[in-house]
Amino acid sequence: MNNKVSLTTQNRLIIFGLLLSTVLIVAIAVFAIFNIQKKLNEGYQNFGQVISKTLAIESVEITKNLPADKIIDTLQTHSESILKSHNDIVFIEFRDKNGKLIYSGKNPHAVQSNTNIRVTSPLTAIGESNPVGSVTVGLSGDIISQISSTTRASLLFVFSVAWLVFAFVILINTYLITRELRILQNGVKKISSGEFGYKIQTKDVSSEIEELFNAFNDMSTRLHIYEEQNIDRIMLERNKFESVLMSIANGVVVCDDNDNVVLVNNHAQTLLEVTEEQVLNKPIQQYIDTSGNYCFKEKIEQFKDTPLEIIEKKPIEFNINVDKKVIKSIISPMFTRNKDYVGYIIVLIDMTKEAEMEQMRAGFISNVSHELRTPVTVLRSYIDTLYNYGNEFDYETQKEFIGTINQEIIRLNRMVNDILDFSRLEADTELEKEPNNIEHLIEECAKQVEVLTKEHNLHITIDKKSLPPEFMFNYDSIERALTNYLSNAIKYSPENGEIKITLNYSPENKEVEVAVTDQGCGIAPEHQKKIFDRFYRVENNTHTIKGTGLGLNLVKTTIEKHHGGRVFVHSEVGKGSTFGFILPTAPVEISVK
Ligand code: ADP
């Protein structure tokens, strides 16, 4: 209940009722006192009349046969006896028929000497019509004022008591009614806070209220039963919904229509590098990425400025960068079944790999075009020169020209083959395999690169640690893989360097390991992890030789995808590298997908 003293309509009515009853009671009391006072005054007036008349008759009677000199004494004696017995009579006066005062007696016992009422009666003998004089009685009215003040006090007391009882009854009644309302209000609060099954006590309440309380308790019990029946289903639904959102592969941030985050799934927390506590119940605009930018702020403003029907069809898409990650963010509005807008969802998709790939692809295209243009330009100029001026050159120069042309054609051929191999190996068609001799293959490859090694004054050796039997593999693809390793080793080796091919067979593991070790520039650890990725190239001061970034990826695809083997690299910058592959000699289940 609200503790603040506020005048409800009910309170106002009670106060109004109390004021009205006070006014009524006071008015009735004043009216009653006024009436009583009036009646008393009239009665007192009559009392004065009676006294003066009685005194007149008595005085005429007692003085009727007396000599004139005795009359005054007799009147005095009689008057004094009356004055003595009535404290309320202040004085008695006798006058003759001419109005001359013949006797005046004052009451020594009168409480107060004020005369409030004077009553005069004629002194008339019985049977006579003319009065012989008059008698005047003066009354103080003390009794009246005493009676009326006593009456006033009693009435005031009675009405005050009546008013107090009345007010008390009203207040108690009000309290009792509001007590019942308070009990009911408390019950409703419990229900609204989810305490289904809560019961209110029905004792000490009026019968109508008891009915209401019983209906309330009945409703509470039904809600409790309903809750028991549905809670599991609701919880299951809720958990299902939450676990789907929480475990979804993309990041999901749900915001209410005040922008406060109400849900942030695990993936979103990882992508945004925040914990649930850091963002939950806070506006998403306050999120700061690792570079210190409020990366959502502007886009959310834009989202809010766009009409819902437009944004619903075309959600806002943008990229944010958190740390080194590129995250695609999509903001779309959220509606209830009744199409009421309730907030928005931000879906976060990690595009780092795709962005890297895109960058690599762009690099690949520029590299390929560059790589193709160079031999083509060289070929054109050499062939042009030979065609136009060939006769003028001696045999040695012509041979030199043709040698260069041959080299460039080999380079071109290799590159075109790489690209063709790439698309072939990427395709899902399985390579044909037959029993082959790997030792023979290694010797063939070494022979093929002999010209190149000689050109660079490189020394190539084969270390056959243990020889495997023939086993199933696709000869051409493995040959290209090893040639790739070898040509890279040649490319990155210093003059007079040594290149070693190692062959090792492990009968226990049923595996053959082939490795190519050079004494070249080596590869830094951060590049080693990615070196087998498609289009990946190390481009720095040491690795200046251009290429497509496809060679090692082709090796990986050949070995892993088509033969169920593994590739590896061990390298140290400045000392050299060992690139190798391991092939299973026993048949393995291959999935080219
Ligand atoms: P590319 O055809 O461009 O040479 P690769 O896939 O064959 O592509 O090689 C990828 C990268 O790996 C190259 O850019 C190169 O820097 C590095 N690399 C490959 N082999 C060696 C090696 N033996 N020594 C040093 N770096 C190497």
Side-chain angles (χ1 to χ4, degrees), residues 488 491-492 518 523 531 536-538 543 547-549 551-552 579:
N488 273 345
K491 260 201 269 182
Y492 297 104
D518 65 56
I523 304 151
I531 207 111
Y536 193 85
R537 306 199 70 255
V538 183
H543 295 254
T548 55
L552 290 181
F579 280 88

Side-chain angles (χ1 to χ4, degrees), residues 103-168:
Y103 167 76
S104 170
K106 284 201 187 245
N107 188 351
H109 306 291
V111 179
Q112 64 180 67
S113 51
N114 289 351
T115 309
N116 288 323
I117 294 168
R118 288 167 165 271
V119 187
T120 306
S121 293
L123 295 168
T124 316
I126 296 167
E128 292 289 326
S129 58
N130 290 332
V132 289
S134 65
V135 59
T136 304
V137 176
L139 297 165
S140 68
D142 278 351
I143 289 180
I144 302 240
S145 53
Q146 272 170 22
I147 291 173
S148 59
S149 70
T150 313
T151 316
R152 254 202 312 270
S154 321
L155 272 175
L156 209 64
F157 176 73
V158 168
F159 280 117
S160 302
V161 169
W163 186 86
L164 278 174
V165 169
F166 180 73
F168 184 70

Side-chain angles (χ1 to χ4, degrees), residues 352-368:
T352 319
K353 273 238 171 272
E354 283 76 357
E356 273 175 15
M357 278 299 265
E358 195 41 53
Q359 215 178 349
M360 285 186 206
R361 214 187 302 270
F364 167 74
I365 290 171
S366 92
N367 278 351
V368 167

Side-chain angles (χ1 to χ4, degrees), residues 181-193:
L181 281 177
R182 273 200 307 275
I183 294 173
L184 188 67
Q185 189 188 31
N186 186 39
V188 172
K189 257 191 200 165
K190 297 259 181 199
I191 295 285
S192 64
S193 67

Side-chain angles (χ1 to χ4, degrees), residues 27-192:
I28 291 169
V30 168
F31 180 70
I33 291 168
F34 178 76
N35 259 352
I36 290 168
Q37 189 96 36
K38 204 173 141 202
K39 290 275 180 240
L40 274 174
N41 279 340
E42 279 171 16
Y44 198 66
Q45 199 85 31
N46 290 341
F47 165 72
Q49 295 281 350
V50 170
I51 288 207
S52 79
K53 274 210 177 110
T54 314
L55 189 61
I57 293 164
E58 278 176 0
S59 302
V60 171
E61 273 309 300
I62 55 172
T63 55
K64 138 171 106 175
N65 301 321
L66 288 179
D69 58 330
K70 292 279 183 203
I71 289 175
I72 292 183
D73 287 344
T74 310
L75 286 177
Q76 185 179 356
T77 316
H78 186 59
S79 297
E80 277 171 1
S81 77
I82 289 172
L83 284 170
K84 242 187 237 168
S85 58
H86 288 90
N87 286 347
D88 220 38
I89 301 172
V90 181
F91 68 87
I92 295 173
E93 280 176 4
F94 287 95
R95 289 175 194 273
D96 63 12
K97 60 179 168 197
N98 299 319
K100 190 181 153 217
L101 185 68
I102 51 174
Y103 167 76
S104 170
K106 284 201 187 245
N107 188 351
H109 306 291
V111 179
Q112 64 180 67
S113 51
N114 289 351
T115 309
N116 288 323
I117 294 168
R118 288 167 165 271
V119 187
T120 306
S121 293
L123 295 168
T124 316
I126 296 167
E128 292 289 326
S129 58
N130 290 332
V132 289
S134 65
V135 59
T136 304
V137 176
L139 297 165
S140 68
D142 278 351
I143 289 180
I144 302 240
S145 53
Q146 272 170 22
I147 291 173
S148 59
S149 70
T150 313
T151 316
R152 254 202 312 270
S154 321
L155 272 175
L156 209 64
F157 176 73
V158 168
F159 280 117
S160 302
V161 169
W163 186 86
L164 278 174
V165 169
F166 180 73
F168 184 70
V169 167
I170 286 190
L171 289 176
I172 285 289
N173 201 27
T174 312
Y175 170 76
L176 285 178
I177 290 175
T178 53
R179 184 187 77 104
E180 286 159 352
L181 281 177
R182 273 200 307 275
I183 294 173
L184 188 67
Q185 189 188 31
N186 186 39
V188 172
K189 257 191 200 165
K190 297 259 181 199
I191 295 285
S192 64

